[in-house]
């Protein structure tokens, strides 16, 4: 049994999250293996915003990079999240579509949040309201403290995708 100091980490490794994408990324067969270069080629963009926690990119925060995307954006923008642990809540509003959130791969790029709330929208690490969104090669985590040995948390969302 976990002790009161134990922290349960719910991990969802986002392989591909897609909303309203047609003919951009299929996959799951040997003939259509999805990888980052293929997705980058398929979306046909050369605009990349770099996020680096050590300050070697355009931003040190994923949310700051998303905030820099123009309202009503109509072209794909890659937000490249370099390796590291980003302790922040990320929200992609409805008016910022066409975002490809690309990490450095499993176990390298993490977005982590530790908000516990009965309101699932408040506890989500990643909240996506925009259409045309892809996440690849990035892990999302929610850290929930254990208050007592038999504690079972409510249904918390790590990722919340809202229909547009």
């Amino acid at each position: 049994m976990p002790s009161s100091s134990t922290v349960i980490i719910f991990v969802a490794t986002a392989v591909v999250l897609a909303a309203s994408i047609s003919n951009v990324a299929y996959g799951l067969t040997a003939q259509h293996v999805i990888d980052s270069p293929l997705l980058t080629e398929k979306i046909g963009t050369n605009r990349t915003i770099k996020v680096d926690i050590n300050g070697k990119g355009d931003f040190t925060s994923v949310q700051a990079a998303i905030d820099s995307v123009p309202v009503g954006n109509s072209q794909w923008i890659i937000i490249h999240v370099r390796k590291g642990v980003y302790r922040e809540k990320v929200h992609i509003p409805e008016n910022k579509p066409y975002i490809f959130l690309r990490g450095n791969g499993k176990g390298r790029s993490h977005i982590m949040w530790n908000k516990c709330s009965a309101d699932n929208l408040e506890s989500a690490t990643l909240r996506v309201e925009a259409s045309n969104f892809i996440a690849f090669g990035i892990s999302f985590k929610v850290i929930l403290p254990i208050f007592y040995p038999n504690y079972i948390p409510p249904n918390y969302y790590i990722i919340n995708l809202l229909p547009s």
Side-chain angles (χ1 to χ4, degrees), residues 117-134:
S117 174
D119 179 359
N120 288 329
L121 293 178
E122 289 300 315
S123 61
T125 301
L126 173 66
R127 182 176 175 189
V128 179
E129 295 176 336
S131 60
N132 297 300
F133 171 78
I134 302 172

Side-chain angles (χ1 to χ4, degrees), residues 105-163:
K106 182 180 176 183
R108 294 187 183 123
S109 300
H110 305 274
I111 299 176
M112 186 178 293
W113 187 243
N114 63 353
K115 172 82 177 198
C116 296
S117 174
D119 179 359
N120 288 329
L121 293 178
E122 289 300 315
S123 61
T125 301
L126 173 66
R127 182 176 175 189
V128 179
E129 295 176 336
S131 60
N132 297 300
F133 171 78
I134 302 172
F136 187 90
I138 192 164
S139 298
F140 301 92
K141 299 179 183 184
V142 172
I143 301 173
L144 300 173
I146 301 295
F147 297 107
Y148 50 90
N150 295 324
Y151 177 71
I152 300 173
N155 295 324
Y156 292 110
Y157 288 118
I158 293 171
I159 300 169
N160 186 300
L161 299 175
L162 300 175

Side-chain angles (χ1 to χ4, degrees), residues 35-83:
D35 61 12
S36 187
L38 176 62
L39 283 172
T40 302
E41 177 186 324
K42 289 279 188 184
I43 64 174
T45 187
N46 60 1
R47 176 140 187 240
T48 300
I49 299 169
K50 296 177 189 90
V51 181
D52 187 301
I53 202 158
N54 298 313
K56 296 179 182 176
D58 302 309
F59 296 95
T60 57
S61 157
V62 177
Q63 188 63 55
I66 290 166
D67 292 345
S68 76
V69 173
V71 169
N73 178 50
S74 63
Q75 300 293 319
W76 282 103
I77 295 176
I78 298 169
I79 297 179
H80 180 195
V81 181
R82 292 184 173 163
K83 69 179 180 177

Side-chain angles (χ1 to χ4, degrees), residues 16-30:
V16 173
L17 296 174
S20 304
I21 297 173
S22 63
N23 298 324
V24 173
Y26 357 12
L28 309 177
T29 68

